[in-house]
Amino acid sequence: MKSIQWKLVIVYFLLLLFALELFGVYMLSSIENYYMTDLEENIHGQARLLAGLAERYFRDSPDQEGLQQLIREYSLLIGGEVYLLSSTGVVLASSPGVEEFIGRRLVQQEVISAIQGRSGNATRVDFETNQRHYYYAEPIASNDETVGVVYVSTPLQLIDSTLDQLRRILITGAVLTLAVSAILGLNLAGTITRPLRKITDQAEAMKEGDFSTKIDIKADDEIGRLSETFNALSDRLKESWAELVQEKDKVEGILANLTDGLIVLSHNDEVLHINSTACSWLGLERGKMEEQGMAVDLHWLTDDKGFIHLENGLILRQRRLPLLQAGQKHGTIIVLSDVTEQQRLDKMRQEFVANVSHELRTPLTSIKSYLEALIGNPDEDPKIKNRFLSVINAETDRMVRMVEDLLVLSRTEDTQSQAFDLQSIEEIIATLAKQVEVDLKNKRIDLQFKMSSHLPLVRGDRDQLYRLFLNIVNNSIKFTPAGGSITISAGSRKNYLEIAIADTGIGIPQQSLGRIFERFYRVEKARSRRGGGSGLGLAIAKQIAEIHGGNISISSQEGKGTEVVVTLPIAARQKLRVGRASKGGNADV
């Protein structure tokens, strides 16, 4: 069915079938209308005549015997069943054989119409005989009043049988006509499709690179002119193909060993060459791109921007050079270099320098202002001098802490030189509790512990882990009002140790939770500076946790408190035995 020959035959067949069907319907309808018109004229004339003759039997009161005699004389002329009805629709007389209807009331629509003074007719199917009947009712008028009705019913069997015979004749003729037309249509379609099949075979050969075969069609029509044009096109394609192969070999020889991403576009924006590196970066298939790729498929390269930012995170530097042949530009060479890491390092360096400069500028400005006040007023009140010196000392301590935090960040980033040992989180937490005991007492904060017994060991650097938990606890102490509480809980889950530090402090707004681990980020900068924070504590904690193969998460609700959960991987069982034995014990885990 995919062949154009069969499509032509089917269309021709359907058109002929439609024409025959339309002709048959029109002819049958015309013949039926002719017979029905003749029948109706005959029935109507006979009914009117009978109505005129029956009028005298209704003048005083209906004469049923006279009406019955009148029907017997005229029923054979009408050729159907005849009824004479009263003005109320009651049968007064009927044709021989249907006397059982005498005395019954007929309420058909045509009868009601005749009682109202208008003749009526209808065609219905008799459900007992399954045949059509024609019904006609003619009013009997006397002194401009309807005194009775002539009701005639005649079967349409003769008309229906004639139409059925004509229908069979038409169907037989249509089948024979369609069969002959199908044979002729196949031959006609073949004269069109055979030359097209030759052209298709030649196109298939050209697709495989064979341009030697020619189409030999001598017809002087549209198909003949098409074959001549196709032969000319084959010669042109043969020449173009040879030139294309030559140019491709030349480009491949020049660019085969390049390590950067490289794309060569023709002056028609076709992809002439693309190396594997560029395909890997851009997520493309090299063979498909070199066969049918176009510049529109490389929507990343639609402009001359120096840098391209891909969705996979890569940043490529783009350089465009003209592809010259015989001194003329025949395309464009695009060289791509991966500068993702360089851009990332540059951005980090710029952000880090900007953040450090910003954070150091504030305390230095404060120190300079107070020093200028002291130098400008050497005889200032000693109390004011002491207050100024206290502020200078506090700002100096803040800068020292910031520098120390920066050194810690620098050391923790050097992960290759880290040598981890087995560590006990219980001991680290106990040491931390003693360290912050004075701060807790000064703020009247209650420190509680919910530690599982016999916590497994972890592998890591003790100083770094201590700094991790100290930063978190210090934050809880800073932002928990007097009389509050801090709870440290720890337990193992599968292959990880979970340490949760929860407080009843002021909490963190929901919009700030996503940035809380960024370097130098503060929820409220003024409040953090008053507390001496540098904005690096949680960033250091997160980096230490990740270096140790763990993770850190935070949840908070303003006014109710904050909970920080640190997850660290548990050391392997064999390594635990070795580590504990090295301390002089033989405890098993």
Side-chain angles (χ1 to χ4, degrees):
M1 296 303 294
K2 295 181 179 179
S3 172
I4 190 173
Q5 180 179 6
W6 284 105
K7 292 179 180 178
L8 290 173
V9 171
I10 289 175
V11 172
Y12 176 69
F13 186 86
L14 291 177
L15 288 174
L16 184 59
L17 179 63
F18 175 75
L20 291 174
E21 186 71 19
L22 183 62
F23 171 75
V25 171
Y26 175 76
M27 188 182 72
L28 290 174
S29 177
S30 299
I31 293 174
E32 182 180 11
N33 288 336
Y34 171 78
Y35 279 115
M36 287 298 298
T37 301
D38 183 66
L39 176 68
E40 289 174 1
E41 289 178 355
N42 182 48
I43 294 295
H44 294 178
Q46 295 292 340
R48 292 191 187 99
L49 177 60
L50 184 58
L53 294 174
E55 183 266 338
R56 67 177 181 270
Y57 294 98
F58 286 91
R59 288 177 181 174
D60 297 329
S61 61
D63 182 1
Q64 288 188 264
E65 292 183 1
L67 294 174
Q68 189 65 39
Q69 180 65 29
L70 183 63
I71 287 181
R72 279 196 294 270
E73 294 176 357
Y74 279 90
S75 60
L76 295 177
L77 295 175
I78 295 177
E81 299 174 355
V82 182
Y83 304 89
L84 291 175
L85 313 179
S86 67
S87 60
T88 59
V90 177
V91 179
L92 300 178
S94 65
S95 301
V98 290
E99 290 85 354
E100 67 271 13
F101 286 97
I102 297 176
R104 295 184 183 180
R105 186 186 301 276
L106 302 182
V107 293
Q108 281 77 2
Q109 183 63 39
E110 58 272 16
V111 174
I112 296 173
S113 178
I115 291 174
Q116 294 174 351
R118 301 184 306 274
S119 60
N121 62 81
T123 302
R124 292 191 293 272
V125 177
D126 188 344
F127 293 104
E128 294 181 0
T129 61
N130 198 27
Q131 293 181 357
R132 293 195 305 159
H133 284 70
Y134 178 73
Y135 300 91
Y136 180 73
E138 177 70 25
I140 301 173
S142 178
N143 298 326
D144 296 330
E145 292 184 0
T146 301
V147 296
V149 176
V150 177
Y151 189 46
V152 181
S153 170
T154 183
L156 301 178
Q157 182 179 4
L158 180 60
I159 296 177
D160 290 342
S161 62
T162 302
L163 292 175
D164 288 340
Q165 187 175 2
L166 287 174
R167 192 175 291 109
R168 286 193 294 272
I169 294 173
L170 287 174
I171 291 175
T172 303
V175 170
L176 294 176
T177 303
L178 290 174
V180 174
S181 300
I183 296 173
L184 295 176
L186 283 172
N187 292 330
L188 176 62
T191 60
I192 299 175
T193 57
R194 279 190 291 272
L196 293 178
R197 195 176 295 114
K198 292 182 180 180
I199 295 176
T200 303
D201 293 339
Q202 175 61 15
E204 292 289 340
M206 291 169 58
K207 185 177 68 172
E208 301 298 330
D210 182 9
F211 300 94
S212 59
T213 306
K214 300 296 181 182
I215 301 174
D216 186 15
I217 298 177
K218 302 299 184 180
D220 189 16
D221 54 13
E222 289 82 357
I223 295 179
R225 290 193 292 272
L226 175 62
S227 63
E228 294 176 0
T229 304
F230 198 85
N231 289 332
L233 177 62
S234 175
D235 294 336
R236 293 290 301 275
L237 286 176
K238 183 177 181 180
E239 297 174 1
S240 300
W241 180 261
E243 294 176 1
L244 182 62
V245 171
Q246 181 180 0
E247 293 299 324
K248 185 177 179 180
D249 291 340
K250 184 187 299 183
V251 172
E252 287 284 354
I254 296 173
L255 306 175
N257 297 321
L258 288 179
T259 56
D260 286 342
L262 186 135
I263 303 172
V264 181
L265 302 177
S266 69
H267 62 281
N268 294 325
D269 287 337
E270 297 175 350
V271 177
L272 301 180
H273 178 84
I274 181 170
N275 65 359
S276 301
T277 304
C279 289
S280 175
W281 288 344
L282 302 177
L284 301 173
E285 185 179 345
R286 183 180 179 185
K288 182 177 180 180
M289 290 301 299
E290 291 185 344
E291 288 179 4
Q292 56 187 15
M294 300 292 293
V296 294
D297 300 324
L298 308 170
H299 57 86
W300 309 273
L301 311 176
T302 54
D303 50 37
D304 296 329
K305 292 182 180 179
F307 294 94
I308 302 170
H309 296 265
L310 301 180
E311 295 179 357
N312 57 12
L314 287 178
I315 302 175
L316 306 179
R317 183 174 59 192
Q318 175 187 188
R319 288 176 292 174
R320 289 177 176 259
L321 302 172
L323 177 63
L324 300 177
Q325 292 182 3
Q328 296 183 353
K329 182 180 179 181
H330 286 265
T332 303
I333 300 175
I334 302 175
V335 181
L336 303 175
S337 303
D338 185 2
V339 294
T340 306
E341 186 64 19
Q342 179 182 347
Q343 290 283 319
R344 187 184 71 84
L345 294 176
D346 290 343
K347 184 178 180 180
M348 288 181 59
R349 188 181 301 109
Q350 292 173 1
E351 291 179 352
F352 187 75
V353 171
N355 288 331
V356 171
S357 300
H358 176 75
E359 295 298 330
L360 290 177
R361 182 176 58 189
T362 302
L364 286 174
T365 301
S366 178
I367 292 173
K368 179 175 176 59
S369 299
Y370 284 108
L371 287 175
E372 288 177 350
L374 291 175
I375 294 173
N377 299 281
D379 299 329
E380 189 64 71
D381 186 359
K383 292 183 178 181
I384 296 178
K385 285 184 178 181
N386 291 333
R387 183 160 58 86
F388 285 3
L389 291 173
S390 299
V391 172
I392 293 172
N393 184 60
E395 294 294 339
T396 303
D397 290 340
R398 180 164 166 247
M399 286 192 295
V400 170
R401 286 193 298 270
M402 187 181 301
V403 172
E404 289 178 352
D405 288 341
L406 292 174
L407 291 175
V408 171
L409 277 175
S410 177
R411 287 195 299 268
T412 54
E413 286 178 348
D414 186 13
T415 58
Q416 295 182 352
S417 61
Q418 300 283 345
F420 292 155
D421 297 323
L422 294 176
Q423 305 295 339
S424 170
I425 297 299
E426 293 175 277
E427 296 177 1
I428 294 175
I429 296 297
T431 305
L432 185 149
K434 294 179 180 178
Q435 174 72 24
V436 299
E437 184 176 0
V438 175
D439 294 334
L440 292 170
K441 186 178 295 184
N442 291 336
K443 292 195 67 173
R444 292 181 286 111
I445 296 175
D446 182 24
L447 180 62
Q448 302 175 1
F449 297 91
K450 294 181 180 180
M451 313 279 285
S452 299
S453 58
H454 305 294
L455 288 177
L457 302 181
V458 299
R459 186 170 293 276
D461 181 271
R462 180 181 178 83
D463 293 337
Q464 291 183 8
L465 292 174
Y466 178 82
R467 183 59 177 261
L468 186 157
F469 294 110
L470 179 62
N471 287 353
I472 298 173
V473 172
N474 278 338
N475 273 357
S476 296
I477 294 173
K478 289 177 186 176
F479 302 111
T480 299
S485 65
I486 299 174
T487 302
I488 301 177
S489 56
S492 59
R493 178 180 297 179
K494 293 184 179 180
N495 296 324
Y496 288 88
L497 183 64
E498 288 188 355
I499 304 95
I501 302 173
D503 60 53
T504 59
I506 60 177
I508 302 171
Q510 291 296 318
Q511 63 270 19
S512 298
L513 286 177
R515 302 186 57 192
I516 200 67
F517 292 108
E518 294 181 10
R519 297 179 182 183
F520 297 106
Y521 180 78
R522 299 184 181 91
V523 177
E524 296 180 15
K525 295 185 177 182
R527 181 183 67 181
S528 298
R529 290 194 178 101
R530 288 196 301 268
S534 63
L536 295 172
L538 289 179
I540 292 173
K542 181 178 179 62
Q543 186 164 309
I544 293 175
E546 291 176 349
I547 289 173
H548 286 76
N551 192 19
I552 182 170
S553 60
I554 188 168
S555 59
S556 181
Q557 190 173 358
E558 281 190 276
K560 293 187 177 181
T562 302
E563 182 182 39
V564 181
V565 179
V566 179
T567 304
L568 297 173
I570 298 172
R573 294 178 62 89
Q574 183 177 3
K575 292 181 179 180
L576 289 178
R577 291 193 186 98
V578 174
R580 293 187 178 182
S582 65
K583 295 181 181 181
N586 297 318
D588 194 3
V589 179

